[in-house]
Amino acid sequence: MVDVAREAGVALRTVSRVVNDDATVGAELVERVRAAIANLDYRPDERARHLRLGVTGTLGAAVRQLSHVNPVLRAVERAARKADLMVLAASTEDDEQIERHVVESMCRRRFDGILLEPIGADHGYLVPELAAGLSLVAVDRPVLGLDVDCVLSDNVAGIETAYSHLVAHGHRRIAYIGDDERIFTAQERATAFRACVRASGGAADHMIHTGPILPDRIQAALESALSGPGAATAIITGNATLSVEIVRRFRDRSDDVAVVGFDDSELATLLRPDLTVVAQDDAAIGDTAITMLRNRIADPATPVRKVTVPVTLRPRGSGETPPKSA
Amino acid sequence: MVDVAREAGVALRTVSRVVNDDATVGAELVERVRAAIANLDYRPDERARHLRLGVTGTLGAAVRQLSHVNPVLRAVERAARKADLMVLAASTEDDEQIERHVVESMCRRRFDGILLEPIGADHGYLVPELAAGLSLVAVDRPVLGLDVDCVLSDNVAGIETAYSHLVAHGHRRIAYIGDDERIFTAQERATAFRACVRASGGAADHMIHTGPILPDRIQAALESALSGPGAATAIITGNATLSVEIVRRFRDRSDDVAVVGFDDSELATLLRPDLTVVAQDDAAIGDTAITMLRNRIADPATPVRKVTVPVTLRPRGSGETPPKSA
DNA sequence: GCCGATTGAGATAACGTTATCCCGATACCG
DNA sequence: CGGTATCGGGATAACGTTATCTCAATCGGC
């Protein structure tokens, strides 16, 4: 930059002014500086700029898996681009150690704010960061034990909608196969399901199967749910991955079991009948998250908000199958 | 940091030494400094550190879509973590403007290196960056007209393998439905397919259908390929998205058309028969890309390398169906 | 008992920006 | 014609690190 100044025969400060196109510099000088910049191909160093300015214009996104389908992240990138902010993302792999490493790296890099899909683990390491002014918004899951902004899907309403949709189509014995309840969303959905069963006067015991996503576990859950005298006539799956696993197993059997899946995905229309799903409003979640994060950055004293975004039932066929015994 | 020094009653330099755990500082002083750091909860600022050091320990990944399945990116993150480098990723959305914006942002942030899935567009903007010492590795597609490192899948061998696999199972009339040939991989695969047809003495005209991924276009291609006197008995799809689209349409028809897909995906085992695919070696691509990038960073004078990673045929059923007329 | 080697730690100068302060020149008003 | 706004632009001091240089103190050797 000092070279550019020398080349153009102006002061350092003037080059800076030209780079940040400050209006108070004469047209002729601007030209001369521009030429010098091109000549020496000078490239501004954001590190120094950010250091001096204090802000970085950068948002961090710490998500489970970058390389998985994540429509919320796409919405986030879009919303941030509109606000002229750069989003830089990294995976936490749902590993407590990695999450911490990623988030702390972003803090040390002084990102203006962080979007986090938190793991259900101890987030004590965040306390000093938050105290030091970190702007953070949790997405999809809350941060346990800490009062931070978050935006979640309405898991309870989603399960209730799925359940009553199946009831409306004549089902009385509905099973739920879900993810490990140590995961927040899985826990919330399972709890909501138990409440549904209880409200309709049944016992949930044989009807709810949660645990890790492993082929054997899923197979066993499916067999347990669909066999015996009180066999289920409909299944609600706890997330997109499980929907795939369940549907995969239905290729080979011809039972007319109704299925409603949680989370939409491109696989939903791969089979006959198409999969009825409870879809999250990804765009709304992403937009809301960015808005909340920007608000918090602008004013760290903003009261903490916990936003719940509505979900939508998308009937496509698999959830409208009547019970086979009916 | 100066506060920490005052609190601990030592010089600034000593705090820095403790932070970077320099061995030449006495145990007692280390304790005192550590205590002061905890007291004031001091958090080091990487911006200043990077500015001073010259390097950032950060790699940028500019990929088509963060929120899409991208096993290569996962391998990249893993390999980078092992090398104690941070990978920060952003989407280019296959948009020339966005790609340029993302890459230039990363350059101004002085990332040590960039991994790019380049768009088939003019990359002139990279010339000055490369001249200024940018370390860049192109993944999956080359950078047109510029001599930069790249690591690609062996698209030609993949198509040849798929083709001869189908021939070995009795097929003589094989169709190819691929993506828009303005995309490098699509172009390479289509060309390889044409060569296969020619080599086996046929005419490719009715057998090759490339273009954008739009429902109508795909439907038309499929009908054209599968109707008439010279109807194809087997289909090769040009990428994972097309495999899904094609397979989706096969739900409703009962022809025993053989299918081999390019790119593996979790959908491959969703239907009967399971989808035979040509799979890319994602882990090898990711590892190679990181290795090449690190080499280039370590020594910018390293000769440019273009690496082609072998692909593997995974027979699962759909590619082993005999021709229906046979 | 003195001197050289070794070790621990402080002062100072960068790294590449931008903001503050200030000054000179021009123009305008009385 | 003198004085004062106004505007363009230059010198300098930060921002938070680390590296170089220097120096004081301790220890061992002769």
Side-chain angles (χ1 to χ4, degrees):
Chain A
M1 192 152 163
V2 61
D3 297 335
V4 172
R6 195 178 330 113
E7 168 95 0
V10 300
L12 206 58
R13 180 71 185 96
T14 305
V15 178
S16 169
R17 276 198 265 255
V18 171
V19 170
N20 298 21
D21 36 46
D22 186 321
T24 71
V25 62
E28 183 222 359
L29 273 200
V30 170
E31 264 328 294
R32 235 165 61 209
V33 173
R34 287 260 155 77
I37 287 179
N39 267 358
L40 282 63
D41 54 52
Y42 155 76
R43 50 208 57 258
D45 187 326
E46 294 278 347
R47 292 173 300 185
R49 182 154 198 278
H50 293 331
L51 177 60
R52 178 64 235 241
L53 255 45
V55 295
T56 56
T58 311
L59 264 31
V63 301
R64 270 162 288 185
Q65 258 301 339
L66 279 188
S67 51
H68 263 22
V69 174
N70 189 337
V72 171
L73 181 54
R74 182 195 296 225
V76 161
E77 283 194 283
R78 229 162 260 207
R81 190 160 25 242
K82 263 186 214 138
D84 210 36
L85 287 164
M86 175 151 204
V87 173
L88 291 171
S91 301
T92 65
E93 313 221 357
D94 257 344
D95 176 306
E96 195 177 346
Q97 304 288 329
I98 300 180
E99 174 191 308
R100 178 170 182 165
H101 180 253
V102 164
V103 172
E104 288 185 337
S105 289
M106 289 174 170
C107 288
R108 282 197 304 270
R109 282 175 169 78
R110 295 292 190 273
F111 284 8
D112 291 346
I114 295 181
L115 253 119
L116 175 64
E117 280 180 355
I119 299 166
D122 178 34
H123 284 89
Y125 75 91
L126 281 177
V127 174
E129 305 291 354
L130 291 166
L134 168 64
S135 296
L136 183 101
V137 171
V139 178
D140 196 43
R141 316 162 175 180
V143 175
L144 266 93
L146 255 53
D147 193 36
V148 300
D149 289 318
C150 68
V151 35
L152 311 173
S153 271
D154 196 341
N155 294 306
V156 175
I159 290 292
E160 287 170 359
T161 306
Y163 196 89
S164 52
H165 184 71
L166 288 168
V167 166
H169 282 83
H171 295 273
R172 292 300 169 266
R173 297 190 306 281
I174 302 167
Y176 174 82
I177 300 184
D179 204 347
D180 195 322
E181 290 191 53
R182 281 175 300 186
I183 296 169
F184 172 80
T185 48
Q187 196 272 323
E188 220 180 23
R189 290 169 194 176
T191 304
F193 179 80
R194 284 195 192 90
C196 285
V197 176
R198 221 173 301 122
S200 62
D205 301 353
H206 304 92
M207 288 303 173
I208 180 156
H209 302 269
T210 59
I213 300 186
L214 299 169
D216 290 352
R217 211 268 304 171
I218 295 166
Q219 187 64 37
L222 206 54
E223 278 165 15
S224 155
L226 296 180
S227 63
T233 62
I235 291 182
I236 298 175
T237 60
N239 65 31
T241 311
L242 279 162
S243 301
V244 174
E245 289 297 322
I246 299 296
V247 164
R248 189 198 302 284
R249 281 171 177 76
F250 279 157
R251 288 178 316 185
D252 301 328
R253 37 194 317 161
S254 49
D255 330 285
D256 284 320
V257 178
V259 177
V260 175
F262 214 109
D263 293 347
D264 204 354
S265 87
E266 62 170 352
L267 319 178
T269 53
L270 251 188
L271 295 176
R272 282 294 182 224
D274 288 347
L275 189 65
T276 294
V277 297
V278 173
Q280 315 196 35
D281 190 346
D282 307 305
I285 296 175
D287 288 350
T288 308
I290 288 293
T291 305
M292 285 169 66
L293 193 47
R294 292 180 64 198
N295 286 343
R296 179 147 307 283
I297 292 167
D299 175 15
T302 310
V304 169
R305 288 204 306 153
K306 314 255 181 199
V307 174
T308 304
V309 178
V311 296
T312 317
L313 182 80
R314 298 203 178 132
R316 293 212 182 97
S318 76
E320 292 73 46
T321 316
K324 62 178 165 182
S325 55
Chain B
M1 193 152 164
V2 62
D3 298 335
V4 173
R6 197 179 326 114
E7 168 95 1
V10 299
L12 205 59
R13 182 70 184 94
T14 306
V15 179
S16 169
R17 277 197 264 254
V18 171
V19 171
N20 297 22
D21 35 46
D22 187 321
T24 71
V25 62
E28 182 222 0
L29 272 199
V30 171
E31 264 327 291
R32 235 165 61 209
V33 172
R34 287 261 156 78
I37 287 178
N39 267 358
L40 283 64
D41 53 53
Y42 155 76
R43 50 206 57 258
D45 187 325
E46 294 277 347
R47 292 173 299 187
R49 181 152 198 279
H50 293 333
L51 177 59
R52 180 62 236 243
L53 254 45
V55 295
T56 56
T58 311
L59 265 30
V63 301
R64 270 161 286 183
Q65 257 303 336
L66 278 189
S67 51
H68 262 21
V69 174
N70 189 337
V72 171
L73 181 54
R74 183 196 296 226
V76 161
E77 282 195 284
R78 229 160 261 209
R81 190 159 26 240
K82 263 186 212 138
D84 210 37
L85 287 164
M86 175 149 203
V87 172
L88 291 171
S91 302
T92 65
E93 313 220 357
D94 258 343
D95 176 307
E96 194 176 348
Q97 305 288 329
I98 299 180
E99 174 190 308
R100 177 170 183 165
H101 180 253
V102 164
V103 171
E104 287 185 338
S105 289
M106 289 174 171
C107 287
R108 281 196 304 270
R109 282 175 171 77
R110 294 294 189 271
F111 283 8
D112 291 346
I114 295 182
L115 253 119
L116 176 64
E117 281 181 354
I119 299 166
D122 178 35
H123 284 90
Y125 76 91
L126 282 177
V127 175
E129 304 291 353
L130 292 167
L134 168 64
S135 297
L136 183 101
V137 171
V139 178
D140 196 44
R141 316 163 176 179
V143 175
L144 267 92
L146 254 53
D147 193 35
V148 300
D149 288 319
C150 69
V151 36
L152 311 173
S153 271
D154 195 342
N155 294 306
V156 175
I159 289 293
E160 286 169 0
T161 306
Y163 196 87
S164 51
H165 183 73
L166 288 167
V167 166
H169 282 83
H171 295 274
R172 292 299 171 263
R173 295 191 308 280
I174 303 167
Y176 175 82
I177 300 184
D179 204 349
D180 195 321
E181 289 192 53
R182 278 174 302 186
I183 297 170
F184 173 79
T185 50
Q187 195 272 322
E188 221 180 21
R189 291 170 193 177
T191 303
F193 179 81
R194 283 195 192 91
C196 286
V197 176
R198 222 173 300 122
S200 62
D205 302 353
H206 303 91
M207 287 303 172
I208 181 154
H209 302 269
T210 59
I213 301 186
L214 300 170
D216 290 353
R217 210 269 305 171
I218 295 167
Q219 188 63 38
L222 206 54
E223 278 166 15
S224 154
L226 297 180
S227 62
T233 62
I235 290 182
I236 298 175
T237 61
N239 65 31
T241 310
L242 279 161
S243 301
V244 173
E245 289 298 321
I246 299 296
V247 163
R248 189 196 303 284
R249 280 171 177 78
F250 279 158
R251 288 178 316 185
D252 301 326
R253 38 195 316 163
S254 48
D255 331 285
D256 285 322
V257 177
V259 177
V260 176
F262 215 110
D263 293 347
D264 204 353
S265 88
E266 62 171 350
L267 319 178
T269 55
L270 251 188
L271 295 176
R272 283 294 181 220
D274 289 346
L275 188 65
T276 294
V277 298
V278 173
Q280 315 196 32
D281 189 346
D282 307 305
I285 296 176
D287 288 351
T288 308
I290 289 291
T291 304
M292 285 169 66
L293 193 47
R294 292 181 62 199
N295 285 343
R296 178 147 308 283
I297 292 167
D299 175 16
T302 309
V304 170
R305 289 204 307 153
K306 314 253 180 200
V307 175
T308 303
V309 178
V311 296
T312 318
L313 182 81
R314 298 203 178 132
R316 294 212 182 97
S318 76
E320 292 74 46
T321 315
K324 61 179 165 184
S325 55

